[in-house]
Amino acid sequence: MTPPVILSIAGSDCSSGAGIQADLKVAHALGVFALTAVTCVVSEVPGDVSAIQAIEPELVADQVRICLETFPVAAVKTGMLYSPEIVGACAPLLRRSGLPLVVDPVMIATAGDPLMLESAIAVYESDILPITTLLTPNTDELARLLGCETIGTSEQLKEATHALCGKYGCAVLGKGGHLSDRCHDILVLPGGETFEWTRAKISGVSTHGTGCSLSSAIASLLAHGLPLPEAVSSALDFVAQSIATHHRWQHHGLGIDALNHAMPSRT
């Protein structure tokens, strides 16, 4: 068997709901073989980031290098890059590869904890975003990258997504899952072509890792050869299924939810 191969450059989540653990599960569900380059070890559970230990940038870069040199990688996804040194170490390798690059700008955890050093953002913007195929920011990340106020409506989401696409010259998927009682996602391609998806929210579920899962699903579907709009649409369906069929445990009197990444794709 020779499945398509993707490379995930991201942090490790010990609770396995986000980061490279989520990426591996998503890739497996979508029939893709995933390689990983670990950028940080994160001690976290849903709702609580306890500690972050960054990996030495040289080791991160060597993981990326050896994977790209050894395997027929078809697409790359980046998640938590964390520091300017890690960003700077990865960027030249990604630029030389010329591969489709899906960038999840992991800056703030669902719980509100920062996942990228402030000093890394300028390097991120100068070295990573200009070589990006698709950027997948949520509303907080959109606002941070544009230097604007909070995005609170679908119209503001649309305007911000178009603005970010124009700023960096790459496709942008503006994720509006936190705007209202409906999820509104907008894909803008260079040149202005726009695609929109709206679906009802699934209430009563508290999960983390949806952004990681979505970006790795898009990368996996690109590796299968799908055009970008179709890859995004199918990935959104996959994540919606993962939320709807979520896992739940009761422990110490608390409810713990996690995405069900085992759902089959609709491709």
Side-chain angles (χ1 to χ4, degrees), residues 151-177:
I151 296 167
T153 67
S154 292
E155 187 57 37
Q156 290 173 339
L157 174 67
K158 190 170 186 176
E159 291 175 1
T161 304
H162 274 276
L164 207 60
C165 179
K167 182 176 180 179
Y168 298 118
C170 65
V172 178
L173 176 63
K175 299 180 296 189

Side-chain angles (χ1 to χ4, degrees), residues 28-78:
H28 180 74
L30 294 175
V32 172
F33 189 85
L35 314 172
T36 61
V38 182
T39 61
C40 299
V41 175
V42 185
S43 178
E44 68 172 323
V45 294
D48 182 17
V49 176
S50 178
I52 297 172
Q53 177 64 61
I55 304 299
E56 288 295 327
E58 295 79 11
L59 181 54
V60 176
D62 203 54
Q63 293 175 78
V64 175
R65 176 197 62 78
I66 199 168
C67 285
L68 292 176
E69 290 179 354
T70 305
F71 287 83
V73 177
V76 179
K77 167 259 170 83
T78 66

Side-chain angles (χ1 to χ4, degrees), residues 239-261:
V239 172
Q241 292 176 50
S242 299
I243 297 171
T245 61
H246 63 281
H247 304 299
R248 173 166 290 167
W249 302 269
Q250 290 291 326
H251 189 59
H252 296 314
L254 298 175
I256 305 168
D257 294 336
L259 297 177
N260 175 14
H261 295 104

Side-chain angles (χ1 to χ4, degrees), residues 127-141:
D127 292 3
I128 295 292
L129 299 188
I131 60 172
T132 294
T133 303
L134 175 68
L135 180 64
T136 65
N138 60 30
T139 52
D140 289 336
E141 292 156 350

Side-chain angles (χ1 to χ4, degrees), residues 87-109:
V87 174
C90 292
L93 295 164
L94 296 175
R95 186 179 300 109
R96 286 197 296 271
S97 77
L99 292 167
L101 176 60
V102 179
V103 173
D104 181 13
V106 178
M107 296 178 176
I108 303 171

